[in-house]
Amino acid sequence: MTDPSTRPFLITKDEDGAFRLTVRTTRYNSRGYPLVTATLQDGAFKTANAARAFARENFNAQPGEYATK
């Protein structure tokens, strides 16, 4: 299982009540410092499960790779 702070898929709820999916990629510089790039995906989802299904279909996400806020 990955560390919760670096899980590659973040699911958040916006002010309208829709769920948004952010895909995070982590790479490390020459000193071992993590560099995280976050990309918010277009579109909103009615449920968190719909966002998870989208991540599974498009990014081959596995259980345990999701973080929520």
Side-chain angles (χ1 to χ4, degrees):
M1 185 175 282
T2 58
D3 180 27
S5 61
T6 59
R7 290 187 179 170
F9 303 101
L10 175 65
I11 299 173
T12 56
K13 192 171 186 180
D14 64 11
E15 61 276 352
D16 296 330
F19 290 89
R20 304 294 306 256
L21 177 67
T22 303
V23 178
R24 301 185 285 193
T25 56
T26 304
R27 58 187 180 90
Y28 297 89
N29 68 4
S30 61
R31 296 185 179 240
Y33 186 79
L35 303 170
V36 179
T37 304
T39 306
L40 182 65
Q41 298 299 301
D42 293 333
F45 303 95
K46 291 184 179 182
T47 65
N49 285 337
R52 285 186 185 98
F54 180 81
R56 271 193 312 270
E57 293 170 6
N58 295 294
F59 300 105
N60 296 323
Q62 300 296 316
E65 293 183 331
Y66 303 102
T68 57
K69 277 191 174 179

